[in-house]
Structure formats: C-alpha cells, structure tokens
Amino acid sequence: MKSARFLVNTLVYTILVVSLVAFITPFLLIIINSFKTNAEIIESPLAWPTTFNFSNFAASMKEMNYFQSFLNSLGITLGSVVLIGVFAAMTAHYFVRNKTKTNGALFFAMVASMIIPFQAIMIPLVSLYGAKLGWIQTMPKSTLIFMYLGFGSPLAVFIYHGFVKSIPLELEEAAFMDGCDRRGTFFRIILPILMPTTVTIGILNILWIWNDFLLPLLVLQNAGRGSYTLPLAIQVFKGTYTTDNEKFLPAVLLVILPILIVYLFAQRFIIQGVTQGSVK
Amino acid sequence: MIAEKNHMRRLGNQVFFTGPTVLVFTAVIVIPFLYGIYLTFFAWDGVSSTMPFVGGSNYVEVMQDSKFWSSVWLTVKYVLATVILINGVAFLLAYLVTNGIKGENFFRAAYFTPNLIGGLVLGFIWQFMFNNLFTAIGEHTGLGLFSKTWLGDEKLAFWALVIVTVWQYAGYMMVIFIAGLMSLPRDVMEAAKIDGANGWKRLSRMVLPLMVPSFIVTIFLSLQRGFMVYDVNYGLTGGGPFGSTVMASMFVYDKAFIRFDYGAGQAQAFVLFLLAAMITITQVYIGKRMEVEA
C-alpha cells in the first residue's frame, strides 16, 4: 500500500515538473538570450551567455522609445482602471438599492453585452470615433481610456452587483439616520467595504488593458510613436527580428519585465483576484 | 430600498450614480453595435463621404467568399483543438495541485505566468522558440519533426498556434478548476472513499460530474477567445506561411483596415459573431442540463 502511494506521488511530481519546465523554458530562454550576440544565439540558443551584453538593452530601449511607451501604458492602464473601479461601483450599488424597471433593464443590457466580442464592433468603433467624430485624431489617449471604460464596465458592474447584494441594508439606513446623504454613504461606507472586490476587478482589468494590442493598434496607430503603449512599441522590430534577435529579445524582456516584477510581489492577490473574477 | 421623496433629487442621484457608466456603455458598445449592423448594408471604404446603400449584397458576398469561409473553417478546427487541449491540460494540472503535495502554490504560480503577458508578445516569444530552440533540437537529435522551423510549414504552423494557445490559457483555466475542486463537498468525497470507491471511480463518477459548472465556464471562455483570436495569430505566424494561418479575426481586420472594405468587413464580423454566439450559447445550454447536485 505504501509503495503504491509512493509510485503515485512519483508520477504526480514527474508530470508537474515536466509541465513546469514547459511553462517556464520560454521565459528562461528569452532572458539568457537577451544578453547574447546574434552569432551566439544562432550557434546555441540553450547555452549560457559568455559575455553579458547590456548594450543590447540600451539599443532596444532607444529604438522602441521605451520610457515614453512605458509611461503611456502606465497612464492609460491606471486611468482606465481607476475610472472603471469608481464608476462601476457607483452604478452597481445604485442598481442594487434602487430596483426600478429602468435599472433592471440597464443591468440586463450590460450583462447581455458581454457576449459581444470586440471584433464585432471594432469596425464601427473606428468609423465613429475616427472618421465621424475625429476623436482618434485629436485626443487618441483619452479616447482609448474612454473606450476601456466602456468595455470594462459591464463585467465590473456585474461583479460589484453580486457583492453589493451581500452588504446589509441596515448599514446604509443607519448612516442615513445619522444624517449622511446618499453620496456620502456610498463614498464613506460602501466604497471602503467594496475594497476586496475592487482589488479583484483592478487585477482583471490591469492584466487585460496593460497587454491589449488590438484596440491600441486601432486608436493609437496613426497618432505617432509618442503615444504608443508597450505592445505597440515593440512592433518596430517586427519584420527585422528574425535576423536581429540581439535587439528583439531584450525588447521582449523589457516589455514583460514590469508585469513579471509586479507578479513576484503580488502573486497571491493576482491568482486570488482571477479566481474570484472567473467564478462569479 | 432607500428612495428619495423628492423627484428632482432622485433623478439627480440616478444620473450621478449610473450616468457615467451608462453613457460610456452606450457610446462604446450599444451604438457601435447597432451602427455596425447598419454599416453592413452599405459599401464604404472608411474614408470617403459617400456611402452607397447596397442592401444585402455584402451578405451575399460573405456567403460566396470562399477565402472567408476557409478562414472560418480553420478557426473552427483551431477552436476544437484548443478547447479540448486547454481543458484537458488545465484540469489535469488543477487535479494534481490540489492533492496536498508539497510546493502546490509554487506550481500554481508558475503555470499561471503566461497569462500575465499579452498574446502578441507571447507570439513573439514562441516565434523565437520555434525558430531557434526547436531547430536546435532538430540539429542535435536528427528528429525529422524539428528539422526545419514549424512556422514555415503550413500544417505545423497551425499546430504551433495551438501549442502556444494551450500554453497561454491552461494556467488560467487551471485557476478556475482549482476553485471548483476546492468547493467539492468534502463529506461526500470522504463517504465515497470509505465505501471503497477507488481513485479512478471517484474521479469519473463523482469529481467530473460535480465539476460540470466549472467546465461550463472554462469551455465558454476558451470557445469565445478561440473564435476571436487575433494577437497570438498576428504575433506568432502573422497569417503565414503563404496565408495558411489567417484566422477569421485577422481576415476581418484585413478586409476592413487594409483593403478598406468596411461594409463587407463588418458583415463578416457580424456573421462570425452570430456563429460564435450560437455555439457558445448551445454549449452553455447543454452544459446546464448536465449539471448535477451533490
């Protein structure tokens, strides 16, 4: 009986370790090859670098306008996430506490809209905000944040809605008795209570918006490189990278590094956030 | 319910609390969706000020466009392969890391890592893998499968896309399965163990049926993402070699934004949406009927 248990355990560990290798090898290879020269990469992609070529990184940074792109990604992501968090919480709270027909219909419309994939509306979106209104040309970054708010709100409202329902109404009534008005109650009492949910929604949105490619491509593409986010900026290497891995691989590493560092520190919250977000 | 007596006050709060999201939701999703349907009845290059009405001819064109349908067919094959593999791998991993072995959290964290990175960059990373690592393996071992880069071969490039997608999403779906496995009723599982059900029986007769709700979610997500895949496709193969891996989403993008045929592109996008919606709704419906109570 004991040996059977041992056998099973060995098998389990073997599968887990083999999967582990499969899951992290690509990252390790990118890291070690980032420091090599093209010749070294071609000769043996698995070998440890003989010299550490930090100049690769400087060259990549310059070519992809790294700092500017990083700041753009940061600003757009944080701006969108904060707006989604606050506005969606307000809306969900109001929907739960005021069950009118209008609110019910609005909530239903938001939930139903989640089945519409982005590709089904990208063409009209570009026509409306580009050709018709001209927002894409005049204020690309704000337009992008505006769009993220629109695409991010339904899920956020849905998740908040589920959570607000579990907050006892007595809490708000007590605040009313004490002379707090509706807005005060929300900002002083409800919003702090919603904090764990806000973290979940924040994580889901950060992962998506930070890495998004198609929407920034459509909105920022013509605005020039000064407005690019990281996924757009790395495209300058497309077409040349098959030969010039020396610049391309450091660029890939530089793009994935910020989120890998965040993950290292906030790993537990991120996995928890994704779990809660997907189960609802 | 707390309701204001004063109507103006009430309206003010409604606007204050729900105004911003409702406005933006309408502007970014509702209006473009409706305008999109309207667009499908016109011929438009996206630039010119004239937009001639063409009735249903965009749809006729979609139906007759064999290239569009072969991209859809390719997408269907891709969706089938990825949904099965993602869910299989994800469930296996979730099952193994919830059995109380050492280092569970470490394994979970590692398997999740690909989801931190966007599809485009994942595509780039794997392009390097296929072009350099795989060919290096081929050189050292002499295996025919690795003799040249997969991305240059029409059939293998498709499987390269499948592999990257499975690698990308398995960790994400694993997280959902873990949540499901953790909420299985412990007493029922214990009872089965005492009654002498072996590991395999417990898995096939109890765990899997009880996990149907999790499978509904993961299959729904993998179906939807599979049908709409763009960034991995663009980053890894760019549609090549020789246009053999242009999936539906890329086809639609090119139609509208490269060949400037907005009306027909939107008609294709709409047909694709209907197809995907039909399949995902059917899946959820069938899944719900398979649900059992513990």
Side-chain angles (χ1 to χ4, degrees):
Chain A
M1 199 58 200
K2 226 174 185 171
S3 66
R5 180 81 206 145
F6 176 75
L7 215 67
V8 170
N9 263 342
T10 315
L11 184 69
V12 168
Y13 271 111
T14 311
I15 298 175
L16 288 180
V17 171
V18 169
S19 317
L20 185 72
V21 171
F23 272 89
I24 60 176
T25 303
F27 295 112
L28 294 179
L29 275 186
I30 295 299
I31 295 172
I32 59 170
N33 285 296
S34 298
F35 295 98
K36 296 188 200 166
T37 61
N38 272 332
E40 281 179 295
I41 296 169
I42 290 165
E43 196 182 318
S44 174
L46 275 167
W48 194 253
T50 49
T51 49
F52 284 87
N53 246 328
F54 282 98
S55 60
N56 289 358
F57 286 89
S60 301
M61 277 188 166
K62 201 169 165 212
E63 197 156 330
M64 68 192 283
N65 205 357
Y66 186 74
F67 286 112
Q68 180 67 49
S69 310
F70 176 83
L71 290 179
N72 290 339
S73 276
L74 196 68
I76 288 166
T77 307
L78 289 185
S80 311
V81 169
V82 169
L83 291 181
I84 292 171
V86 174
F87 287 142
M90 288 165 68
T91 306
H93 174 245
Y94 199 81
F95 280 174
V96 174
R97 296 304 185 214
N98 294 62
K99 293 201 173 80
T100 59
K101 271 188 186 155
T102 321
N103 287 339
L106 286 172
F107 181 60
F108 178 77
M110 286 192 180
V111 174
S113 80
M114 284 192 274
I115 200 168
I116 304 172
F118 174 69
Q119 279 83 342
I121 45 182
M122 68 178 177
I123 296 169
L125 203 64
V126 171
S127 319
L128 284 172
Y129 292 94
K132 302 258 187 256
L133 290 172
W135 290 14
I136 287 177
Q137 290 83 351
T138 53
M139 42 174 186
K141 286 195 241 175
S142 317
T143 306
L144 192 58
I145 294 178
F146 181 79
M147 289 176 181
Y148 279 130
L149 178 58
F151 288 119
S153 289
L155 181 66
V157 168
F158 179 65
I159 295 177
Y160 274 128
H161 194 271
F163 197 85
V164 172
K165 275 194 290 194
S166 69
I167 301 175
L169 185 61
E170 285 77 14
L171 212 63
E172 283 172 62
E173 282 170 343
F176 264 93
M177 296 290 174
D178 292 343
C180 204
D181 70 353
R182 227 193 155 94
R183 297 172 197 190
T185 313
F186 174 78
F187 286 107
R188 285 167 199 218
I189 297 169
I190 302 300
L191 200 58
I193 297 178
L194 287 175
M195 207 52 204
T197 314
T198 306
V199 172
T200 298
I201 290 168
I203 286 167
L204 293 176
N205 284 314
I206 290 171
L207 286 180
W208 155 59
I209 296 172
W210 181 269
N211 289 317
D212 192 25
F213 171 63
L214 195 46
L215 186 57
L217 178 74
L218 292 168
V219 177
L220 302 178
Q221 191 169 220
N222 297 319
R225 292 185 47 193
S227 72
Y228 281 10
T229 56
L230 287 174
L232 281 189
I234 198 176
Q235 278 210 100
V236 294
F237 298 100
K238 205 172 151 60
T240 59
Y241 53 73
T242 35
T243 50
D244 198 5
N245 277 316
E246 202 173 294
K247 269 191 195 156
F248 182 62
L249 294 182
V252 169
L253 186 57
L254 286 165
V255 167
I256 65 180
L257 210 55
I259 205 135
L260 285 182
I261 292 172
V262 172
Y263 187 54
L264 215 58
F265 291 105
Q267 188 207 96
R268 199 166 58 90
F269 294 105
I270 291 177
I271 293 198
Q272 230 169 48
V274 170
T275 310
Q276 283 161 355
S278 52
V279 173
K280 300 244 167 170
Chain B
M1 199 193 286
I2 304 166
E4 298 83 349
K5 298 266 166 358
N6 183 324
H7 279 288
M8 281 315 287
R9 197 93 187 252
R10 191 170 180 166
L11 187 69
N13 273 333
Q14 171 90 33
V15 170
F16 178 77
F17 279 96
T18 67
T21 37
V22 170
L23 184 84
V24 182
F25 168 71
T26 312
V28 174
I29 299 180
V30 179
I31 294 174
F33 184 70
L34 299 176
Y35 181 61
I37 298 174
Y38 172 82
L39 262 185
T40 61
F41 299 105
F42 294 84
W44 191 36
D45 58 10
V47 190
S48 65
S49 52
T50 54
M51 221 169 94
F53 178 80
V54 293
S57 74
N58 280 329
Y59 287 99
V60 174
E61 195 192 317
V62 172
M63 293 305 155
Q64 292 169 342
D65 189 342
S66 64
K67 281 201 173 141
F68 171 70
W69 288 105
S70 65
S71 81
V72 170
W73 177 233
L74 186 78
T75 311
V76 170
K77 283 196 284 191
Y78 165 85
V79 166
L80 212 64
T82 54
V83 167
I84 292 171
L85 288 170
I86 288 173
N87 283 280
V89 172
F91 184 79
L92 177 73
L93 293 178
Y95 196 65
L96 296 183
V97 296
T98 46
N99 268 329
I101 54 147
K102 274 184 196 144
E104 278 179 1
N105 286 328
F106 170 73
F107 284 116
R108 290 181 197 182
Y111 299 149
F112 185 78
T113 317
N115 289 288
L116 303 167
I117 293 151
L120 177 81
V121 176
L122 287 185
F124 286 153
I125 291 175
W126 275 86
Q127 190 170 53
F128 178 76
M129 294 283 289
F130 284 113
N131 286 343
N132 295 275
L133 180 74
F134 277 45
T135 48
I137 292 174
E139 260 173 53
H140 286 288
T141 60
L143 287 172
L145 191 59
F146 300 115
S147 62
K148 54 181 202 263
T149 174
W150 283 27
L151 303 177
D153 181 287
E154 302 195 1
K155 282 218 172 64
L156 291 175
F158 171 81
W159 287 103
L161 273 168
V162 172
I163 289 175
V164 178
T165 310
V166 173
W167 184 79
Q168 180 184 12
Y169 287 124
Y172 194 91
M173 304 308 166
M174 173 196 73
V175 164
I176 301 176
F177 283 131
I178 290 173
L181 286 168
M182 302 289 251
S183 62
L184 288 183
R186 239 158 234 265
D187 47 339
V188 180
M189 302 312 291
E190 289 288 320
K193 209 168 187 175
I194 291 164
D195 287 348
N198 61 26
W200 173 248
K201 262 213 170 114
R202 287 204 301 275
L203 176 65
S204 60
R205 301 275 173 85
M206 311 196 57
V207 176
L208 283 175
L210 285 171
M211 285 292 284
V212 169
S214 298
F215 274 102
I216 295 175
V217 176
T218 57
I219 295 176
F220 175 79
L221 289 176
S222 38
L223 269 176
Q224 234 195 358
R225 289 171 191 209
F227 266 109
M228 295 302 153
V229 64
Y230 181 81
D231 44 9
V232 169
N233 194 187
Y234 182 82
L236 185 69
T237 67
F242 320 112
S244 60
T245 59
V246 175
M247 296 225 241
S249 188
M250 186 179 277
F251 194 91
V252 170
Y253 180 93
D254 290 352
K255 185 86 179 168
F257 301 119
I258 293 177
R259 284 186 280 165
F260 298 108
D261 198 345
Y262 277 51
Q266 184 54 27
Q268 289 169 347
F270 198 62
V271 168
L272 182 66
F273 157 64
L274 288 180
L275 201 72
M278 245 158 44
I279 293 174
T280 45
I281 290 170
T282 313
Q283 174 258 327
V284 172
Y285 179 74
I286 294 172
K288 287 275 176 208
R289 291 183 51 173
M290 285 168 62
E291 266 182 40
V292 291
E293 296 273 328

